[in-house]
Amino acid sequence: MATSSLHSCTVHRSRATINRLHIFFHFTALIALLYYRISHLFHGDVPFLSWSLMFIAELILSFIWLLTQPFRWRPVTRSVYPENLPGDEALPGVDVFICTCDPKKEPILEVMNTVLSAMALDYPVDKLAVYLSDDGGTALTLHAVKEACSFARSWLPFCRKYGIKTRCPEAYFSSFGDDERLSLWSDEFKADEEEIKLAYEIFKKEVEKSGIADSMVHDRPPCVQVIHDNRKDDQIKMPLLFYVSREKRPSQPHNFKAGALNALLRISGIMSNAPYLLVLDCDMYCNDPTSARQAMCFHLDPQMSRSLAFVQYPQMFYNLARNDIYDGQARSAFKTKWQGMDGLQGPAYTGTGYYMKKKALYGSPDQKDEFLLEPAKNFGLSSKFIASLAGGSNKQDIEGKGVVSDAILEEARTLASCTFEKNTEWGKEIGYSYGCLLESTMTGYLLHCRGWTSAYLYPKRPCFLGCTTIDLKDSLVQQMKWSSGLIQVGLSKICPLTYGLSRMSILHSMCYGYFFFSSLGCIALLLYAIVPQLGLFSGVSMFPKVSDPWFAVFAIVYTSSICQHLYEVLSSGGSFTTWRNEYRMWMIRLVTACLFGCLDFLLKLLGITKESFRLTNKAVEQDKLEKYNKGKFHFQGAEMFMIPLRLLVILNLVCFVGGMKRVLIEGDFEGMFGQCFLSSLILFFSYPILESLLPRRGK
């Protein structure tokens, strides 16, 4: 089958040309700036310490800027033509993995809506299986998934009968489904919808008001249950549905989400054994039921499939405010960086919303069965799982009516035990990597190092929608977790600028270098926010005078950087407000979350603290939501993060006022213009922090 019949790839040549011209222009200006700083540092009459610190800051920022340029080198977009796929009988199987942990931070109803939307994917039901991993081991989650399965017997036929696209019940019955409901309006549809809506309300009541304990169990045996077993005499065709709660013991490592995914890989191998998998965060529901077919347009292309590991979709969110003050949409990643990486060897993967070839997790594209030479040593002592890797099936373990046998369930519990991975290659060379808490970026990076490629698809209708953070604390905790894990990999023996360079192209290695080293920008920003301001207060100039030709170099570098960012925002459908929010959150994250992330890494390196997983809170509180929708920052709970930020703001304010007083008295405004401008810029973008420092008015 020809490649063009299933998908196409468009290179943005005009955008690439503009980007490359800007790279050359900006790089030239940066070299001139660094030359000015070095030449004056060693041959000029300038304060050595302060100018050395400024040079370090500018060198770090230049290094990070250089690492971002491969994202702009060859941006591409892809289109798919699922109507040209072969018939349903020729489509491969897909296993859907959904991971949850704590019902208090991950609302159980959201998790069940994700399960229901996955079960309702527009894909042959006999080739689809859904696995819910409950890492909390709560009785509530097990009860809820059974109730969800019961409701699915009504929900799936309703979706199929009317061709419903919004197959997440909560989204369908909200304002998101208004247009679709109006387009289908008829007396029969109205009657069926009223019936299904009543069934959904009963389902919600059963889940939310069950009274079953929602506390996590940290010491428990493995539990694997078949919630729906695909019996042949079942009139309503539904995919397989499994509940998995792997064994956890306080004395045994469990490797967080990566460990849960590896357990699902093994269990699915002896249950459904599909060659492909879809991973979803528990709040990331399927918004377009055709996502699997769209992904197969890449995986079934013979010219691409041999080396293709995964197809990544963007993370998109249904709860974004028009004024997204926390930059939750991550526009820079999903509308710029991922398109740029797709023009190289493919995007990194984001931990959710991707269709992965399972084989990619077991070796490289050029070494087909390398690990099968010593299967027990590499994969563990499970003959059934090893048989599944060699192309075997579990038909001998399926009883006549399609019910999974007791023997295979017992084997699944063994595969979910916390000691099964001992003395194997799980988490090292096989499966999801344990080298970093951020298993998504780490595993994607290692896949690319092994020679695998990936593809990025940004469809018009979002295939997956989730819930983004809507308060400052959750946003910064999430960023701190990422920063700590990424810098750990960047400074390890598998650094992309050393290990990666010998296994990937230079440009692709630089992309990963940006992910792993961008947190070091906190050092540069702290120096830039402190040193010039102290110089302003004491009358020591850090920049050329306005009349000095070298001042133009600093002005060009700053203006060029701002214009490039603004161009990317506007060309990707953003606005000036989007640009301002991104710039402000970049500053806030660097001097708070990234700083604490680097400190967290150092503490773990010194053995002072242990590695721990910080689960992002996805429960929405009404007061936070109201503030977010009004464009007001919610600082409560983020006091620790705010300490360095507020100190910097106060320092800039005091130094700016004191410096301006000195400038007005001594008349040296020309010499201090650069520092005055820098201070005013920091204060401009920090106005929410300034506002939080003011005394609150009485109610």
Side-chain angles (χ1 to χ4, degrees), residues 18-38:
I18 293 172
N19 288 342
R20 292 176 188 184
L21 289 173
H22 176 263
I23 290 170
F24 175 76
F25 173 77
H26 194 83
F27 182 73
T28 304
L30 274 180
I31 293 297
L33 186 150
L34 294 174
Y35 170 78
Y36 168 84
R37 190 68 75 182
I38 294 173

Side-chain angles (χ1 to χ4, degrees), residues 1 3 6-9 78 276 295-311 342 345-347 357 365 452-456:
M1 186 175 291
T3 302
L6 286 177
H7 64 90
S8 61
C9 178
R78 299 182 185 271
Y276 297 94
M296 290 306 146
C297 289
F298 299 101
H299 281 300
L300 297 184
D301 171 20
Q303 297 181 20
M304 193 178 191
S305 61
R306 191 185 71 84
S307 63
L308 181 66
F310 61 93
V311 177
D342 200 18
Q345 195 177 335
K357 181 188 296 178
W452 292 100
T453 61
S454 56
Y456 181 58

Side-chain angles (χ1 to χ4, degrees), residues 41 171 223 251 286 307 383 427 472 510:
L41 186 61
C223 176
S251 60
C286 301
S307 63
S383 58
L472 192 60
M510 289 171 67

